[in-house]
Amino acid sequence: MKTCIACGMPMTEPADFAMGDITKAYCRHCARPDGTMQSYGEKLDSLSGFLVRTQGLDTGAAVDAARDMMARLPAWKA
Ligand SMILES: [Zn+2]
């Protein structure tokens, strides 16, 4: 099973992949409308926004948590 290199989400069905393309290494949540992968900044924004909405974190804490999570994913490793 593949997991998204940018957010770690398991991709089990073609619909989970960017543009439904199973050769892509990232999921539909990490793709821009044109199918390219979001940048680090874009993903950090969307992930921290997600944490604010779902975990009730304030923005600063959410950005820290998002940065932590992303540091463990292959797409963002230095
Ligand atoms: Zn993803």
Side-chain angles (χ1 to χ4, degrees):
M1 186 180 68
K2 283 178 136 182
T3 55
C4 173
I5 60 166
C7 74
M9 183 184 100
M11 300 189 292
T12 54
E13 295 177 39
D16 294 332
F17 290 77
M19 315 294 279
D21 178 353
I22 61 165
T23 65
K24 294 254 195 291
Y26 47 94
C27 76
R28 63 199 164 92
H29 302 292
C30 296
R32 299 186 179 118
D34 70 357
T36 57
M37 198 177 88
Q38 293 175 355
S39 68
Y40 183 89
E42 286 170 315
K43 195 63 213 164
L44 188 63
D45 266 7
S46 66
L47 196 54
S48 54
F50 175 79
L51 291 172
V52 168
R53 287 194 308 277
T54 61
Q55 316 279 321
L57 299 178
D58 68 47
T59 305
V63 170
D64 282 349
R67 209 179 267 133
D68 248 33
M69 288 165 67
M70 288 172 71
R72 289 193 278 272
L73 292 160
W76 317 115
K77 280 204 175 119

